[in-house]
Amino acid sequence: MAEKITEQLKILKRGTVEVFTEAELAEKLTEAQKVGRQLRIKLGLDPTSPDIHLGHTVVLRKMRQFQDLGHKAVLIIGDYTARVGDPSGQNSTRPILSPEQIKQNAETYFAQAGKILDTSSKKLEVCYNSEWLAELTLMEVIQLAAKKTIAQMIQRDSFKLRLEKGIDVYTHEFLYPLMQGYDSVAIKSDVELGGTDQTFNNLVGRDIQKAYGQPQQIVITMPILVGLDGTEKMSKSKGNYIGVTDEPNDMFGKVMSISDEMMENYFTLLTDLPAERIAELTDASKTHPKEAKVLLGKTIVAQFYDERAADAAAAHFDQVFAQKQLPDDIPEFELPAEPLSVKQLLLACKLVSTGGEAKRMCAQSAVAIDGKKITDPNVQITPKSGMTLQVGKRKFAKIKLSN
RNA sequence: GGGUCGGUGCCCGAGAGGCUAAAGGGGAUGGGCUGUAAACCCAUUGGCGUAAGCCUACGUUGGUUCGAAUCCAACCCGGCCCA
């Protein structure tokens, strides 16, 4: 804790995109250390979807570093915001959640975030922004809105972009940054963390705090983690994510599927390895890319499980994909010993979701039963105990007879 | 409020009465090559049916026609222009 300020700054700056401003951060850290005060580090959460993925962990990991340096994480659950329905994204038909739903999501979120954060009450504080936002009168809202001009608002690129493209921007959307900014006032935040997509909102927080006569928070932005497809932001709705609750085998496999170019980014944002080591690992002349990726996969799995699970996942991967053998843990399905078509069989074992897909998979020689390729979806098969089915490279099922 | 243009499959986008389950991309999936990397090549991409075929689908609801994504009407939603 008594580490030098320069040392602390180095840790805190790692992986960030921008710090507004570094000088202020150094100042706050120094002051905090001198009087023994915990800085209040704000992070706003959207409780609309409870499951968190590695994209969220980039910011959470930064939060953890602050905690480890003795500061307090203040998580704000945007329950009030969520109730209005956040229109800022592509997804305009987001369901409006009930208070119970939000509470439940928040709990799930904590359980998952707890894998990264220090959850002791000394280091973590949680609040719901309805606590103060629901109290505001219209007059107070108007006064809040009077702090920013329209010209300032449309600086935000998501607004600008949509206006240029002729996509709707609703009036109340302008209130979102203001509400979030007001959150900073309510909790007296010293530092706010967020992805670069939150830069505008978080900076508004500075202005609002100033307008309300408070010291301004420092804003630290973290990169948006690219998803598995290598181009888009990691997100649940795009399906290009690694969830923190993914099974070790899955987690490892997903890491293995990222492109070589993305490794450096993942190493930097998702592990604590020093920059020099990362440079070695991502230099193909020094480390074979595949080896580096295995290490990345193991490191990530170990973070959420443990070393043993990480090794097991790597071994499983090697067994199934490198040596193309059957995995050890194949889901079992109970079936009676009555003949049925391959199509029905695949459906029954949930290896395909429609009969058409079953036909296609057969036609494309992706289907094997006990290691033998099946190309006719109408062949009659009598289930036998221990019979194994495979569709594609990674979908397996084992049959168990029911009596 | 007026004018005008538009709403097509997961997404973008063509189609302007039958040849349309609907061109072409993108994405996704399967196969090949590999390191479940990239690049590249091939294939598939509404549901049911062994099949013939049937059903559902071009904003919504009605209508005209032997036949409509395509024509007409009303309505809903949006862009742009005018007030």
Side-chain angles (χ1 to χ4, degrees), chain A residues 39-57:
Chain A
L39 293 182
R40 296 171 63 74
I41 319 299
K42 174 189 169 196
L43 176 61
L45 308 175
D46 170 15
T48 47
S49 92
D51 289 314
I52 69 179
H53 52 65
L54 293 191
H56 300 108
T57 71

Side-chain angles (χ1 to χ4, degrees), chain A residues 180-230:
Chain A
Q180 288 187 27
Y182 191 77
D183 287 348
S184 293
V185 172
I187 66 144
K188 298 190 169 61
S189 86
D190 290 298
V191 178
E192 173 150 18
L193 302 182
T196 51
D197 55 346
Q198 292 296 314
T199 311
F200 180 85
N201 288 347
N202 296 352
L203 287 175
V204 168
R206 277 170 73 84
D207 297 341
I208 303 290
Q209 281 179 310
K210 190 176 176 190
Y212 281 78
Q214 276 191 16
Q216 293 179 295
Q217 64 185 7
I218 289 138
V219 171
I220 297 180
T221 55
M222 299 299 295
I224 299 298
L225 190 70
V226 175
L228 299 175
D229 55 26

Side-chain angles (χ1 to χ4, degrees), chain A residues 50-217:
Chain A
D51 289 314
I52 69 179
H53 52 65
L54 293 191
H56 300 108
T57 71
V58 174
V59 177
L60 289 172
R61 287 167 54 80
K62 181 57 62 186
M63 181 63 101
R64 176 64 195 242
Q65 292 172 341
F66 272 100
Q67 288 184 315
D68 288 344
L69 291 170
H71 302 294
K72 184 158 219 158
V74 183
L75 300 187
I76 299 179
I77 298 163
D79 64 331
Y80 199 73
T81 331
R83 234 181 288 162
V84 188
D86 180 8
S88 65
Q90 315 67 21
N91 195 348
S92 52
T93 52
R94 220 178 233 183
I96 293 173
L97 301 174
S98 66
E100 297 78 53
Q101 246 314 311
I102 289 171
K103 195 153 190 287
Q104 203 185 330
N105 284 353
E107 273 162 25
T108 313
Y109 196 106
F110 288 132
Q112 298 182 8
K115 289 172 190 270
I116 294 168
L117 294 179
D118 181 338
T119 54
S120 65
S121 60
K122 215 176 76 211
K123 296 277 183 68
L124 180 69
E125 184 178 314
V126 177
C127 36
Y128 290 76
N129 66 5
S130 61
E131 287 167 26
W132 49 86
L133 291 179
E135 303 299 310
L136 294 177
T137 63
L138 179 58
M139 188 46 75
E140 286 170 318
V141 174
I142 290 170
Q143 284 164 355
L144 180 60
K147 308 290 187 209
K148 300 293 286 182
T149 68
I150 295 291
Q152 287 169 333
M153 282 309 195
I154 57 177
Q155 287 301 303
R156 184 184 174 174
D157 31 322
S158 76
F159 286 146
K160 211 193 296 178
L161 214 72
R162 282 157 65 195
L163 286 169
E164 278 165 10
K165 283 191 184 164
I167 302 171
D168 313 335
V169 175
Y170 286 88
T171 311
H172 73 294
E173 294 188 59
F174 283 154
L175 293 176
Y176 278 82
L178 296 172
M179 289 158 92
Q180 288 187 27
Y182 191 77
D183 287 348
S184 293
V185 172
I187 66 144
K188 298 190 169 61
S189 86
D190 290 298
V191 178
E192 173 150 18
L193 302 182
T196 51
D197 55 346
Q198 292 296 314
T199 311
F200 180 85
N201 288 347
N202 296 352
L203 287 175
V204 168
R206 277 170 73 84
D207 297 341
I208 303 290
Q209 281 179 310
K210 190 176 176 190
Y212 281 78
Q214 276 191 16
Q216 293 179 295
Q217 64 185 7

Side-chain angles (χ1 to χ4, degrees), chain A residues 239-292:
Chain A
N240 61 355
Y241 69 101
I242 301 179
V244 304
T245 54
D246 280 357
E247 292 302 311
N249 287 345
D250 244 25
M251 202 180 261
F252 186 85
K254 284 180 181 176
V255 172
M256 292 307 284
S257 78
I258 66 169
S259 68
D260 293 356
E261 295 72 54
M262 291 162 66
M263 273 203 287
E264 185 180 355
N265 193 246
Y266 273 43
F267 266 121
T268 309
L269 299 176
L270 302 173
T271 75
D272 291 321
L273 294 177
E276 308 79 64
R277 177 85 179 107
I278 294 175
E280 260 171 44
L281 287 165
T282 51
D283 181 342
S285 67
K286 292 190 177 133
T287 316
H288 188 288
K290 189 185 178 195
E291 259 169 58

Side-chain angles (χ1 to χ4, degrees), chain A residues 3-29:
Chain A
E3 287 174 71
K4 287 219 179 69
I5 298 299
T6 47
E7 206 40 49
Q8 295 187 14
L9 273 175
K10 192 182 164 199
I11 296 171
L12 295 175
K13 267 175 62 189
R14 180 185 193 267
T16 61
V17 175
E18 277 187 283
V19 179
F20 306 88
T21 66
E22 241 179 87
E24 288 178 46
L25 178 60
E27 210 173 292
K28 283 232 187 206
L29 289 171

